[in-house]
Coordinates of all heavy atoms in Angstrom, one line a residue:
M224 N 17.8 29.3 73.5 CA 16.5 28.7 73.4 C 15.7 29.4 74.5 O 16.1 29.5 75.6 CB 16.5 27.2 73.5 CG 15.2 26.6 73.5 SD 15.1 24.8 73.4 CE 16.6 24.2 74.1
Q225 N 14.5 29.8 74.1 CA 13.5 30.3 75.1 C 12.5 29.3 75.5 O 12.0 28.6 74.6 CB 12.9 31.6 74.6 CG 13.9 32.7 74.3 CD 13.3 33.9 73.6 OE1 12.2 33.8 73.0 NE2 13.9 35.0 73.7
T226 N 12.0 29.3 76.7 CA 11.0 28.4 77.1 C 9.8 29.3 77.5 O 9.9 30.2 78.3 CB 11.4 27.5 78.3 OG1 12.6 26.8 77.9 CG2 10.3 26.6 78.7
F227 N 8.6 28.9 77.1 CA 7.4 29.6 77.3 C 6.2 28.7 77.8 O 6.1 27.6 77.4 CB 6.9 30.3 76.0 CG 7.8 31.4 75.5 CD1 8.8 31.1 74.6 CD2 7.7 32.7 76.0 CE1 9.7 32.0 74.2 CE2 8.6 33.6 75.5 CZ 9.6 33.3 74.6
T228 N 5.3 29.3 78.6 CA 4.1 28.6 78.9 C 2.9 29.3 78.1 O 1.9 28.7 77.8 CB 3.7 28.6 80.4 OG1 3.8 30.0 80.9 CG2 4.7 27.8 81.1
M229 N 3.2 30.6 77.7 CA 2.2 31.3 76.8 C 2.9 31.3 75.5 O 4.1 31.6 75.4 CB 2.0 32.7 77.3 CG 1.3 32.8 78.7 SD -0.4 32.3 78.6 CE -1.1 33.7 77.8
I230 N 2.2 31.0 74.4 CA 2.8 30.9 73.1 C 2.8 32.3 72.4 O 1.7 32.7 72.1 CB 2.1 29.8 72.3 CG1 2.0 28.5 73.0 CG2 2.7 29.7 70.9 CD1 0.8 27.7 72.7
P231 N 3.9 32.9 72.2 CA 3.9 34.2 71.5 C 3.6 34.1 70.0 O 3.9 33.1 69.4 CB 5.3 34.7 71.7 CG 6.1 33.5 72.0 CD 5.2 32.4 72.6
E232 N 2.9 35.1 69.5 CA 2.6 35.1 68.1 C 3.9 35.0 67.2 O 3.8 34.5 66.1 CB 1.8 36.4 67.7 CG 0.5 36.4 68.4 CD -0.7 36.4 67.4 OE1 -0.4 36.5 66.2 OE2 -1.8 36.4 67.9
A233 N 5.0 35.5 67.7 CA 6.3 35.5 67.0 C 6.7 34.1 66.7 O 7.6 33.8 65.8 CB 7.3 36.2 67.8
M234 N 6.1 33.1 67.4 CA 6.5 31.7 67.2 C 5.8 31.1 66.0 O 6.2 30.0 65.6 CB 6.2 30.9 68.5 CG 6.6 29.5 68.5 SD 6.2 28.8 70.1 CE 6.4 27.1 69.7
K235 N 4.8 31.7 65.5 CA 4.0 31.1 64.4 C 4.8 30.6 63.2 O 4.6 29.6 62.7 CB 2.9 32.1 63.9 CG 1.7 32.2 64.8 CD 0.7 33.1 64.2 CE -0.5 33.2 65.1 NZ -1.5 34.1 64.5
P236 N 5.8 31.4 62.7 CA 6.6 30.9 61.6 C 7.3 29.6 61.9 O 7.5 28.8 60.9 CB 7.6 32.0 61.3 CG 7.0 33.2 61.9 CD 6.2 32.8 63.1
A237 N 7.6 29.3 63.1 CA 8.2 28.0 63.4 C 7.3 26.8 63.3 O 7.7 25.7 63.3 CB 8.8 28.1 64.9
M238 N 6.0 27.1 63.1 CA 5.0 26.1 63.0 C 4.5 25.9 61.6 O 3.5 25.3 61.4 CB 3.8 26.4 63.9 CG 4.2 26.4 65.4 SD 2.7 26.7 66.4 CE 3.5 27.5 67.8
M239 N 5.3 26.3 60.6 CA 4.9 26.2 59.2 C 5.2 24.8 58.7 O 4.7 24.4 57.6 CB 5.6 27.2 58.4 CG 5.2 28.6 58.7 SD 6.1 30.0 57.8 CE 7.3 29.2 56.8
G240 N 5.9 24.0 59.4 CA 6.1 22.6 59.0 C 7.4 22.5 58.1 O 7.6 21.4 57.6
L241 N 8.1 23.5 57.9 CA 9.3 23.4 57.1 C 10.4 22.7 57.7 O 11.2 22.0 57.1 CB 9.8 24.8 56.6 CG 8.8 25.6 55.8 CD1 9.3 27.0 55.5 CD2 8.5 24.9 54.5
I242 N 10.5 22.8 59.1 CA 11.5 22.1 59.9 C 10.7 21.3 60.8 O 9.9 21.8 61.6 CB 12.5 23.1 60.6 CG1 13.2 23.9 59.6 CG2 13.4 22.3 61.5 CD1 14.1 25.0 60.2
P243 N 10.9 19.9 60.9 CA 10.1 19.1 61.8 C 10.2 19.5 63.2 O 11.2 20.0 63.7 CB 10.7 17.7 61.6 CG 11.4 17.7 60.2 CD 11.9 19.2 60.1
T244 N 9.1 19.3 63.9 CA 9.0 19.7 65.4 C 9.4 18.4 66.2 O 9.0 17.3 65.8 CB 7.6 20.2 65.7 OG1 7.4 21.4 65.0 CG2 7.4 20.4 67.1
C245 N 10.1 18.6 67.3 CA 10.4 17.5 68.2 C 9.4 17.5 69.4 O 9.2 18.6 70.0 CB 11.8 17.7 68.7 SG 12.4 16.4 69.8
M246 N 8.8 16.4 69.6 CA 7.9 16.3 70.8 C 8.4 15.2 71.7 O 8.6 14.1 71.3 CB 6.5 15.9 70.3 CG 5.5 15.9 71.4 SD 3.8 15.8 70.7 CE 2.9 15.5 72.2
S247 N 8.6 15.6 73.0 CA 9.1 14.6 74.0 C 7.9 14.3 75.0 O 7.3 15.3 75.5 CB 10.2 15.2 74.8 OG 11.2 15.6 73.9
T248 N 7.8 13.1 75.3 CA 6.8 12.6 76.3 C 7.4 11.6 77.2 O 8.5 11.1 76.9 CB 5.5 12.0 75.6 OG1 5.9 10.8 74.9 CG2 4.8 13.0 74.7
A249 N 6.7 11.2 78.2 CA 7.2 10.1 79.1 C 5.9 9.3 79.5 O 4.9 9.9 79.7 CB 7.9 10.6 80.3
D250 N 6.1 8.0 79.8 CA 5.0 7.2 80.2 C 4.8 7.5 81.8 O 5.6 8.3 82.4 CB 5.2 5.8 79.9 CG 6.3 5.1 80.6 OD1 6.9 5.6 81.6 OD2 6.7 4.0 80.1
D251 N 3.9 6.8 82.4 CA 3.6 7.0 83.8 C 4.7 6.5 84.7 O 4.7 6.7 85.9 CB 2.3 6.4 84.2 CG 2.1 4.9 83.9 OD1 3.0 4.4 83.2 OD2 1.1 4.3 84.3
H252 N 5.8 5.8 84.1 CA 6.9 5.3 84.9 C 8.1 6.2 84.6 O 9.2 6.0 85.2 CB 7.3 3.9 84.6 CG 6.2 2.9 84.9 ND1 5.8 2.6 86.2 CD2 5.3 2.2 84.1 CE1 4.8 1.8 86.2 NE2 4.5 1.5 84.9
G253 N 8.0 7.2 83.8 CA 9.1 8.1 83.5 C 9.9 7.7 82.3 O 10.9 8.4 82.0
E254 N 9.6 6.7 81.6 CA 10.3 6.2 80.4 C 10.1 7.2 79.3 O 9.0 7.4 78.8 CB 9.8 4.8 80.0 CG 10.6 4.3 78.8 CD 12.0 3.9 79.1 OE1 12.3 3.5 80.2 OE2 12.8 3.9 78.1
P255 N 11.2 7.9 78.8 CA 11.0 8.9 77.8 C 10.7 8.4 76.4 O 11.1 7.3 76.1 CB 12.3 9.7 77.9 CG 13.3 8.7 78.3 CD 12.5 7.7 79.2
N256 N 10.1 9.3 75.6 CA 9.9 9.0 74.2 C 10.0 10.3 73.4 O 9.4 11.3 73.8 CB 8.5 8.4 73.9 CG 8.3 8.0 72.5 OD1 9.1 7.3 71.9 ND2 7.3 8.6 71.9
V257 N 10.8 10.3 72.4 CA 11.0 11.5 71.6 C 10.6 11.2 70.2 O 11.1 10.2 69.6 CB 12.5 12.1 71.7 CG1 12.6 13.3 70.8 CG2 12.8 12.4 73.1
T258 N 9.9 12.0 69.5 CA 9.5 11.8 68.1 C 9.5 13.1 67.4 O 9.3 14.2 68.0 CB 8.1 11.1 68.1 OG1 7.9 10.7 66.7 CG2 7.0 12.0 68.6
F259 N 9.6 13.0 66.1 CA 9.5 14.2 65.2 C 8.2 14.2 64.5 O 7.8 13.2 64.0 CB 10.7 14.2 64.2 CG 12.0 14.6 64.9 CD1 12.8 13.6 65.3 CD2 12.4 15.9 65.0 CE1 14.1 13.9 65.9 CE2 13.6 16.2 65.6 CZ 14.4 15.2 66.1
I260 N 7.5 15.4 64.5 CA 6.3 15.5 63.9 C 6.4 16.6 62.8 O 7.2 17.5 62.9 CB 5.1 15.8 64.9 CG1 5.5 17.0 65.8 CG2 4.8 14.6 65.8 CD1 4.4 17.4 66.8
S261 N 5.6 16.4 61.8 CA 5.7 17.3 60.6 C 5.2 18.7 60.9 O 5.7 19.7 60.4 CB 5.0 16.8 59.4 OG 3.6 16.6 59.7
Q262 N 4.2 18.9 61.8 CA 3.6 20.2 62.0 C 2.8 20.3 63.3 O 2.2 19.4 63.7 CB 2.7 20.6 60.8 CG 2.4 22.1 60.8 CD 1.8 22.5 59.5 OE1 1.5 21.7 58.6 NE2 1.6 23.8 59.3
V263 N 2.9 21.5 63.8 CA 2.1 21.9 65.0 C 1.4 23.1 64.6 O 1.9 24.0 63.9 CB 3.1 22.2 66.2 CG1 2.3 22.7 67.4 CG2 3.9 21.0 66.6
W264 N 0.1 23.3 65.0 CA -0.7 24.4 64.6 C -0.9 25.3 65.9 O -1.2 24.8 66.9 CB -2.0 24.0 64.1 CG -1.9 23.4 62.7 CD1 -2.0 24.1 61.5 CD2 -1.7 22.0 62.4 NE1 -1.8 23.2 60.5 CE2 -1.7 21.9 61.0 CE3 -1.6 20.9 63.2 CZ2 -1.5 20.7 60.3 CZ3 -1.4 19.7 62.5 CH2 -1.3 19.6 61.1
Y265 N -0.8 26.6 65.6 CA -1.0 27.6 66.7 C -2.5 27.8 66.7 O -3.2 28.1 65.7 CB -0.4 28.9 66.2 CG -0.6 30.1 67.2 CD1 0.3 30.3 68.2 CD2 -1.7 30.9 67.0 CE1 0.2 31.4 69.0 CE2 -1.8 32.0 67.9 CZ -0.9 32.2 68.9 OH -1.1 33.3 69.7
V266 N -3.2 27.6 67.9 CA -4.6 27.8 68.1 C -4.8 29.2 68.7 O -5.6 30.0 68.2 CB -5.2 26.7 68.9 CG1 -6.7 27.0 69.2 CG2 -5.0 25.3 68.2
N267 N -4.1 29.4 69.8 CA -4.1 30.7 70.5 C -2.9 30.7 71.4 O -2.1 29.8 71.4 CB -5.5 31.0 71.2 CG -5.8 29.9 72.2 OD1 -5.0 29.5 73.0 ND2 -7.1 29.6 72.2
Q268 N -2.9 31.8 72.3 CA -1.7 31.9 73.2 C -1.5 30.8 74.2 O -0.4 30.6 74.7 CB -1.7 33.2 73.9 CG -1.3 34.4 73.1 CD -1.1 35.6 73.9 OE1 -1.8 35.8 74.9 NE2 -0.2 36.5 73.5
T269 N -2.5 30.0 74.4 CA -2.4 28.9 75.4 C -2.7 27.5 74.8 O -2.7 26.5 75.5 CB -3.4 29.2 76.6 OG1 -4.7 29.3 76.1 CG2 -3.0 30.4 77.3
H270 N -2.9 27.4 73.5 CA -3.2 26.1 72.9 C -2.5 25.9 71.6 O -2.5 26.8 70.7 CB -4.8 26.0 72.7 CG -5.5 26.0 73.9 ND1 -6.0 27.1 74.5 CD2 -5.9 24.9 74.7 CE1 -6.7 26.8 75.6 NE2 -6.6 25.5 75.8
L271 N -2.0 24.7 71.4 CA -1.4 24.2 70.2 C -2.2 23.0 69.8 O -2.8 22.3 70.6 CB 0.0 23.8 70.4 CG 1.0 24.8 70.7 CD1 2.4 24.1 71.0 CD2 1.2 25.8 69.7
A272 N -2.2 22.7 68.5 CA -2.8 21.5 68.0 C -1.7 20.7 67.3 O -0.9 21.2 66.6 CB -4.0 21.8 67.0
V273 N -1.7 19.4 67.6 CA -0.7 18.5 67.0 C -1.5 17.4 66.3 O -2.4 16.8 66.9 CB 0.1 17.8 68.1 CG1 1.1 16.8 67.6 CG2 0.9 18.9 68.9
S274 N -1.2 17.1 65.1 CA -1.9 16.1 64.3 C -1.5 14.7 64.8 O -0.4 14.5 65.3 CB -1.6 16.2 62.8 OG -0.3 15.9 62.6
C275 N -2.4 13.8 64.8 CA -2.2 12.4 65.2 C -1.6 11.7 64.0 O -2.2 11.5 63.0 CB -3.5 11.7 65.6 SG -3.2 10.0 66.1
Q276 N -0.3 11.4 64.0 CA 0.4 10.8 62.9 C 0.8 9.3 63.2 O 1.8 8.9 62.9 CB 1.7 11.6 62.6 CG 1.3 13.0 62.2 CD 2.5 13.9 62.1 OE1 3.7 13.5 62.2 NE2 2.3 15.2 61.8
F277 N -0.2 8.7 63.9 CA 0.0 7.3 64.2 C 1.2 6.9 65.1 O 1.8 5.9 65.0 CB 0.0 6.4 62.9 CG -1.2 6.7 62.1 CD1 -1.1 7.4 60.9 CD2 -2.5 6.2 62.5 CE1 -2.2 7.7 60.2 CE2 -3.6 6.5 61.7 CZ -3.5 7.2 60.5
F278 N 1.5 7.9 66.0 CA 2.5 7.6 67.0 C 1.9 7.0 68.2 O 1.5 7.6 69.1 CB 3.2 8.9 67.4 CG 3.9 9.6 66.2 CD1 3.6 10.9 65.9 CD2 4.9 8.9 65.5 CE1 4.2 11.5 64.8 CE2 5.5 9.5 64.4 CZ 5.2 10.8 64.1
N279 N 1.8 5.7 68.2 CA 1.1 4.9 69.2 C 1.7 5.2 70.6 O 1.0 5.4 71.6 CB 1.1 3.4 68.9 CG 0.3 3.1 67.7 OD1 -0.7 3.8 67.4 ND2 0.7 2.1 66.9
K280 N 3.0 5.2 70.7 CA 3.7 5.3 72.0 C 3.5 6.8 72.5 O 3.2 7.0 73.7 CB 5.2 5.0 71.9 CG 5.8 5.0 73.3 CD 7.2 4.5 73.2 CE 7.8 4.3 74.6 NZ 9.1 3.7 74.6
T281 N 3.6 7.8 71.7 CA 3.3 9.1 72.1 C 1.9 9.3 72.5 O 1.6 9.9 73.6 CB 3.6 10.1 70.9 OG1 5.0 9.9 70.5 CG2 3.4 11.5 71.3
T282 N 0.9 8.8 71.8 CA -0.5 8.8 72.1 C -0.7 8.2 73.5 O -1.4 8.8 74.4 CB -1.3 8.2 71.1 OG1 -1.1 8.9 69.8 CG2 -2.8 8.2 71.4
R283 N -0.2 7.0 73.7 CA -0.3 6.3 75.0 C 0.3 7.1 76.1 O -0.3 7.2 77.2 CB 0.4 4.9 74.9 CG -0.4 3.8 75.3 CD 0.3 2.4 75.2 NE 1.6 2.4 74.7 CZ 2.0 2.0 73.5 NH1 1.1 1.7 72.6 NH2 3.3 1.9 73.2
N284 N 1.5 7.7 75.9 CA 2.2 8.5 76.9 C 1.3 9.7 77.3 O 1.2 9.9 78.5 CB 3.5 8.9 76.4 CG 4.6 7.8 76.4 OD1 4.3 6.7 76.9 ND2 5.8 8.1 76.0
V285 N 0.8 10.5 76.4 CA 0.1 11.7 76.8 C -1.2 11.3 77.5 O -1.7 12.2 78.3 CB -0.1 12.7 75.7 CG1 1.2 13.2 75.2 CG2 -0.9 12.1 74.6
R286 N -1.7 10.2 77.3 CA -3.0 9.8 78.0 C -2.6 9.3 79.4 O -3.5 9.4 80.3 CB -3.7 8.8 77.2 CG -4.3 9.4 75.9 CD -5.3 8.7 75.2 NE -5.9 9.5 74.2 CZ -6.2 9.1 73.0 NH1 -6.1 7.8 72.7 NH2 -6.7 9.9 72.1
M287 N -1.5 8.7 79.6 CA -1.0 8.3 80.9 C -0.5 9.4 81.7 O -0.7 9.6 82.9 CB 0.1 7.2 80.8 CG -0.4 5.8 80.4 SD 0.9 4.6 80.6 CE 1.8 4.8 79.1
N288 N 0.3 10.3 81.0 CA 1.1 11.4 81.6 C 0.9 12.6 80.7 O 1.6 12.6 79.7 CB 2.5 11.0 81.8 CG 3.4 12.2 82.3 OD1 2.9 13.2 82.6 ND2 4.7 12.0 82.3
P289 N 0.0 13.5 81.0 CA -0.3 14.5 80.0 C 0.7 15.6 79.7 O 0.5 16.5 78.8 CB -1.6 15.2 80.6 CG -1.4 15.0 82.0 CD -0.7 13.7 82.2
H290 N 1.9 15.5 80.3 CA 2.9 16.5 80.1 C 3.8 16.2 78.9 O 4.2 15.0 78.7 CB 3.7 16.7 81.4 CG 2.9 17.1 82.5 ND1 2.4 18.3 82.7 CD2 2.4 16.3 83.5 CE1 1.6 18.4 83.8 NE2 1.6 17.2 84.3
A291 N 4.2 17.2 78.1 CA 5.0 17.0 77.0 C 5.9 18.3 76.8 O 5.5 19.3 77.2 CB 4.2 16.7 75.7
S292 N 6.9 18.1 76.0 CA 7.8 19.3 75.7 C 7.8 19.3 74.1 O 8.0 18.2 73.5 CB 9.2 19.1 76.2 OG 10.0 20.2 75.9
I293 N 7.5 20.4 73.6 CA 7.5 20.6 72.1 C 8.6 21.6 71.7 O 8.6 22.7 72.3 CB 6.1 21.0 71.6 CG1 5.1 19.9 72.0 CG2 6.1 21.4 70.2 CD1 3.7 20.3 71.7
M294 N 9.5 21.2 70.9 CA 10.6 22.1 70.4 C 10.5 22.3 68.9 O 10.4 21.3 68.2 CB 11.9 21.5 70.8 CG 13.1 22.5 70.6 SD 14.6 21.8 71.2 CE 15.0 20.5 70.0
T295 N 10.4 23.5 68.5 CA 10.3 23.8 67.1 C 11.2 24.9 66.7 O 11.6 25.7 67.5 CB 8.8 24.2 66.8 OG1 8.6 24.2 65.4 CG2 8.3 25.4 67.4
T296 N 11.6 24.9 65.4 CA 12.6 25.9 64.9 C 12.0 26.7 63.8 O 11.4 26.3 62.9 CB 13.8 25.1 64.4 OG1 14.3 24.2 65.3 CG2 14.9 26.0 63.9
C297 N 12.3 28.0 63.9 CA 11.8 29.0 62.9 C 12.7 28.9 61.7 O 13.9 29.0 61.7 CB 11.9 30.4 63.5 SG 11.4 31.7 62.3
P298 N 12.1 28.6 60.5 CA 12.9 28.5 59.3 C 13.4 29.8 58.8 O 14.3 29.8 57.9 CB 11.9 27.9 58.3 CG 10.5 28.4 58.7 CD 10.6 28.4 60.3
E299 N 12.9 30.9 59.3 CA 13.4 32.2 58.8 C 14.6 32.7 59.6 O 15.6 33.3 59.1 CB 12.3 33.3 58.9 CG 11.1 32.9 58.1 CD 9.9 33.7 58.4 OE1 9.9 34.5 59.5 OE2 8.9 33.6 57.7
T300 N 14.6 32.5 60.9 CA 15.7 33.0 61.8 C 16.5 31.9 62.5 O 17.5 32.2 63.1 CB 15.1 33.9 62.9 OG1 14.2 33.0 63.7 CG2 14.2 35.0 62.3
Y301 N 16.0 30.7 62.4 CA 16.6 29.5 63.1 C 16.5 29.6 64.6 O 17.2 28.9 65.3 CB 18.0 29.2 62.6 CG 18.0 28.8 61.2 CD1 18.4 29.7 60.2 CD2 17.6 27.6 60.8 CE1 18.4 29.4 58.9 CE2 17.6 27.2 59.4 CZ 18.0 28.1 58.5 OH 18.0 27.8 57.2
A302 N 15.6 30.5 65.1 CA 15.3 30.6 66.5 C 14.7 29.3 66.9 O 13.8 28.8 66.2 CB 14.4 31.8 66.9
V303 N 15.1 28.8 68.1 CA 14.5 27.5 68.6 C 13.5 27.9 69.7 O 13.8 28.7 70.6 CB 15.6 26.6 69.1 CG1 14.9 25.3 69.8 CG2 16.5 26.2 68.0
W304 N 12.3 27.3 69.7 CA 11.3 27.6 70.7 C 10.9 26.3 71.4 O 10.8 25.2 70.7 CB 10.0 28.1 70.0 CG 10.2 29.4 69.2 CD1 10.7 29.5 68.0 CD2 9.9 30.7 69.7 NE1 10.8 30.8 67.6 CE2 10.2 31.6 68.6 CE3 9.4 31.2 70.8 CZ2 10.1 33.0 68.7 CZ3 9.2 32.6 70.9 CH2 9.5 33.4 69.8
R305 N 10.7 26.4 72.7 CA 10.3 25.2 73.4 C 9.1 25.5 74.2 O 9.0 26.6 74.9 CB 11.4 24.7 74.4 CG 11.0 23.4 75.0 CD 12.1 22.8 75.8 NE 12.5 23.6 76.9 CZ 13.5 23.5 77.7 NH1 14.4 22.5 77.4 NH2 13.7 24.3 78.7
V306 N 8.1 24.7 74.1 CA 6.8 24.9 74.9 C 6.6 23.7 75.8 O 6.7 22.5 75.3 CB 5.6 25.0 73.9 CG1 4.3 25.1 74.6 CG2 5.8 26.2 73.0
Q307 N 6.4 24.0 77.1 CA 6.0 22.9 78.0 C 4.5 22.8 77.8 O 3.7 23.7 78.1 CB 6.3 23.3 79.4 CG 7.8 23.5 79.6 CD 8.6 22.2 79.3 OE1 8.2 21.1 79.6 NE2 9.7 22.4 78.6
A308 N 4.0 21.6 77.3 CA 2.6 21.4 77.0 C 2.0 20.4 77.9 O 2.6 19.6 78.5 CB 2.5 21.0 75.5
R309 N 0.6 20.4 77.9 CA -0.2 19.4 78.6 C -1.3 19.0 77.7 O -2.1 19.8 77.2 CB -0.7 20.1 79.9 CG -1.5 19.1 80.8 CD -1.9 19.7 82.1 NE -2.7 20.9 82.0 CZ -4.0 20.9 81.8 NH1 -4.7 19.8 81.6 NH2 -4.6 22.1 81.6
Y310 N -1.4 17.7 77.5 CA -2.5 17.2 76.7 C -3.8 17.4 77.4 O -4.0 17.2 78.6 CB -2.3 15.6 76.5 CG -3.4 14.9 75.9 CD1 -3.6 15.0 74.6 CD2 -4.3 14.2 76.7 CE1 -4.7 14.3 74.0 CE2 -5.4 13.5 76.1 CZ -5.6 13.6 74.8 OH -6.6 12.9 74.2
I311 N -4.8 17.9 76.6 CA -6.1 18.2 77.1 C -7.1 17.2 76.5 O -7.9 16.6 77.2 CB -6.5 19.7 76.8 CG1 -5.6 20.6 77.5 CG2 -8.0 19.9 77.2 CD1 -5.8 22.1 77.1
E312 N -7.1 17.1 75.2 CA -8.1 16.3 74.5 C -7.7 16.0 73.1 O -6.9 16.6 72.5 CB -9.5 17.0 74.5 CG -9.5 18.2 73.7 CD -10.9 18.9 73.7 OE1 -11.9 18.3 73.9 OE2 -10.8 20.2 73.5
S313 N -8.4 15.0 72.5 CA -8.2 14.6 71.1 C -9.6 15.0 70.4 O -10.6 14.8 71.0 CB -8.0 13.1 70.9 OG -6.7 12.8 71.5
K314 N -9.5 15.5 69.2 CA -10.6 15.8 68.4 C -10.6 15.0 67.2 O -9.6 14.8 66.6 CB -10.7 17.3 68.1 CG -10.9 18.2 69.3 CD -11.2 19.6 68.9 CE -11.4 20.5 70.1 NZ -12.8 20.5 70.6
T315 N -11.8 14.5 66.8 CA -11.9 13.7 65.5 C -12.9 14.4 64.5 O -13.1 13.8 63.5 CB -12.4 12.3 65.9 OG1 -13.6 12.4 66.5 CG2 -11.3 11.6 66.7
E316 N -13.4 15.5 64.9 CA -14.3 16.3 64.0 C -14.5 17.7 64.5 O -14.0 18.0 65.6 CB -15.7 15.6 63.9 CG -16.4 15.5 65.3 CD -17.7 14.8 65.2 OE1 -18.2 14.5 64.1 OE2 -18.2 14.4 66.2
G317 N -15.1 18.5 63.7 CA -15.3 19.9 64.1 C -14.4 20.9 63.4 O -13.5 20.5 62.6
E318 N -14.6 22.2 63.7 CA -13.9 23.2 63.1 C -12.4 23.1 63.3 O -11.6 23.2 62.3 CB -14.4 24.6 63.6 CG -13.8 25.8 62.9 CD -14.3 27.1 63.4 OE1 -15.4 27.1 63.9 OE2 -13.6 28.1 63.2
L319 N -11.9 22.9 64.5 CA -10.5 22.8 64.7 C -9.9 21.6 64.0 O -8.8 21.7 63.5 CB -10.2 22.8 66.2 CG -8.7 22.7 66.7 CD1 -8.0 24.0 66.2 CD2 -8.6 22.6 68.2
Y320 N -10.6 20.5 64.1 CA -10.1 19.3 63.4 C -10.0 19.5 61.9 O -9.0 19.1 61.3 CB -11.1 18.1 63.7 CG -10.6 16.8 63.0 CD1 -9.7 16.0 63.6 CD2 -11.2 16.4 61.8 CE1 -9.3 14.9 63.0 CE2 -10.9 15.3 61.2 CZ -9.9 14.5 61.8 OH -9.5 13.3 61.2
D321 N -11.0 20.1 61.3 CA -11.0 20.4 59.8 C -9.8 21.3 59.5 O -9.2 21.1 58.5 CB -12.3 21.0 59.4 CG -13.4 20.0 59.5 OD1 -13.2 18.8 59.6 OD2 -14.6 20.5 59.5

């Protein structure tokens, strides 16, 4: 498994949603939470978009502690990718949201 802070273009196939993505967060006391999400979208080399799938604890965690780990698997090669992420903002409208 490789860990990146810059998201390589080669990781795009892993974000097709064919294999669920694992997202790990922790609250402000360090209590972990791991959830599977159906898809992560590549925005650019430094940004991913994650849909809000009504994960109340995950949403609460990233607002208290913005750090998360996202692990996704390429359905073509079965390569596993891990991204250390930081929550920036939530969008409810606009081009990226659409």
Side-chain angles (χ1 to χ4, degrees):
M224 177 172 23
Q225 298 175 338
T226 302
F227 294 91
T228 54
M229 296 290 287
I230 305 151
E232 295 243 357
M234 187 178 162
K235 283 184 179 181
M238 295 183 209
M239 295 178 357
L241 297 174
I242 299 175
T244 294
C245 179
M246 183 170 174
S247 304
T248 62
D250 65 18
D251 56 351
H252 299 291
E254 181 71 29
N256 182 57
V257 177
T258 189
F259 287 93
I260 53 180
S261 60
Q262 194 166 4
V263 174
W264 287 270
Y265 179 93
V266 176
N267 59 40
Q268 283 190 329
T269 58
H270 294 89
L271 296 174
V273 178
S274 65
C275 180
Q276 299 172 3
F277 305 106
F278 297 124
N279 294 328
K280 188 169 187 178
T281 301
T282 300
R283 232 180 1 258
N284 282 356
V285 297
R286 291 195 172 143
M287 285 189 277
N288 172 7
H290 302 283
S292 181
I293 296 171
M294 188 174 71
T295 190
T296 305
C297 178
E299 299 165 352
T300 64
Y301 296 103
V303 176
W304 301 80
R305 187 173 66 190
V306 176
Q307 298 301 317
R309 184 176 54 86
Y310 170 78
I311 297 173
E312 65 182 334
S313 294
K314 294 194 179 271
T315 57
E316 61 185 344
E318 185 179 338
L319 183 60
Y320 179 81
D321 292 340

